Amino acid sequence: MRALVVLACLLAVCVAQRPRPCRSPPLLSGALSVSTQNEKLWTYAKYIYDALGQRVRIREIGSYQNQTFKQDALLLFRQGILYEIHDHNRTCKRVPLKSDFHPLEVPRNASLLGQAVVGSSSGPGQGLLINSWYGDIPQTGGKYLFTVSAFGCIPVTAAVQTKEFGWVATNYFNNVIGIPDPSMLNPPDYCLRADMEDVEPVDFFSVFHKNNE
Ligand SMILES: *[C@@H]1O[C@H](CO)[C@@H](O)[C@H](O)[C@H]1NC(C)=O
Ligand SMILES: *[C@@H]1O[C@H](CO)[C@@H](O)[C@H](O)[C@H]1NC(C)=O
Ligand SMILES: *[C@@H]1O[C@H](CO)[C@@H](O)[C@H](O)[C@H]1NC(C)=O
């Protein structure tokens, strides 16, 4: 009888510890780097992420097809607007945005690749326990890999298969929960005067390559 109770407890612990798909905190700030398999694109960005208001700010320096670029973009997914902000001369471009908002999350039907320690488990503070997940992207027929911290569901790395770039790898770091300066998620006053540009709607990826200018 006692053996059975112990067994049941062990099982309960096992079930409790099995990693589950999770959603990252709705308000996050930090930095990320993006690089692509075909070497067309490399970028380093500071990001602010607001899943509640479906808003993202990206300030980055990068290289697209061997040309370096700087970009400061505010994406308002609900309104379908991307603002390209030029703070130095207080001008702004307003461009239609066609992407839907995708929260940072492990999809419910993702498959667990495994649990691992990034860094080392030999001493305190040397390692980070992570869960890696993978699955298919039905819209593109590609695959994704997504790694999050086992505690807190903080994004660590993501890799997505795309037609244009091959694998697109994103590394997240210096993440903090919350948004230190919420005003960064509102367009500056000089942006409100900008007319909507008469161009084809852009998708989220356009943030990472300056095809205009
Ligand atoms: C970028 O530069 C490298 C080395 O100069 C060259 O081999 C490569 O073809 C260039 N790539 C593009 C997309 O222009
Ligand atoms: C402001 O700066 C941006 C980016 O450098 C440039 O494309 C734009 O033409 C400038 N606008 C004006 C009015 O000078
Ligand atoms: C996983 O779920 C998404 C939507 O949540 C769906 O579009 C996709 O087809 C599912 N993938 C598989 C392999 O079931």
Side-chain angles (χ1 to χ4, degrees), residues 5-113:
V5 171
V6 170
L7 183 65
C9 292
L10 281 176
L11 280 176
V13 168
C14 290
V15 169
Q17 286 188 340
R18 186 174 162 74
R20 286 167 180 267
C22 59
R23 185 171 277 201
S24 298
L27 305 176
L28 277 177
S29 316
L32 55 82
S33 68
V34 179
S35 56
T36 66
Q37 184 185 10
N38 66 8
E39 301 183 357
K40 264 191 184 173
L41 170 69
W42 172 91
T43 179
Y44 168 85
K46 292 192 171 155
Y47 79 90
I48 303 173
Y49 163 83
D50 168 16
L52 305 176
Q54 302 192 354
R55 301 179 294 180
V56 173
R57 180 93 178 243
I58 302 248
R59 284 168 299 155
E60 59 181 330
I61 49 169
S63 162
Y64 178 63
Q65 293 190 325
N66 286 346
Q67 299 228 296
T68 57
F69 68 89
K70 263 186 163 182
Q71 162 124 290
D72 181 355
L74 173 64
L75 296 92
L76 304 181
F77 288 87
R78 283 222 179 106
Q79 290 93 327
I81 301 175
L82 185 156
Y83 289 104
E84 264 185 52
I85 300 169
H86 308 297
D87 197 42
H88 63 284
N89 60 12
R90 292 175 62 82
T91 63
C92 202
K93 263 170 86 174
R94 185 193 259 198
V95 180
L97 175 67
K98 70 173 174 206
S99 300
D100 289 332
F101 182 77
H102 292 289
L104 282 168
E105 66 177 355
V106 177
R108 276 170 197 278
N109 56 10
S111 307
L112 183 66
L113 197 59

Side-chain angles (χ1 to χ4, degrees), residues 125-148:
Q126 294 177 357
L128 173 70
L129 188 65
I130 50 132
N131 295 327
S132 282
W133 303 85
Y134 67 96
D136 297 315
I137 308 167
Q139 295 87 338
T140 62
K143 299 203 176 300
Y144 67 84
L145 281 164
F146 191 36
T147 299
V148 295

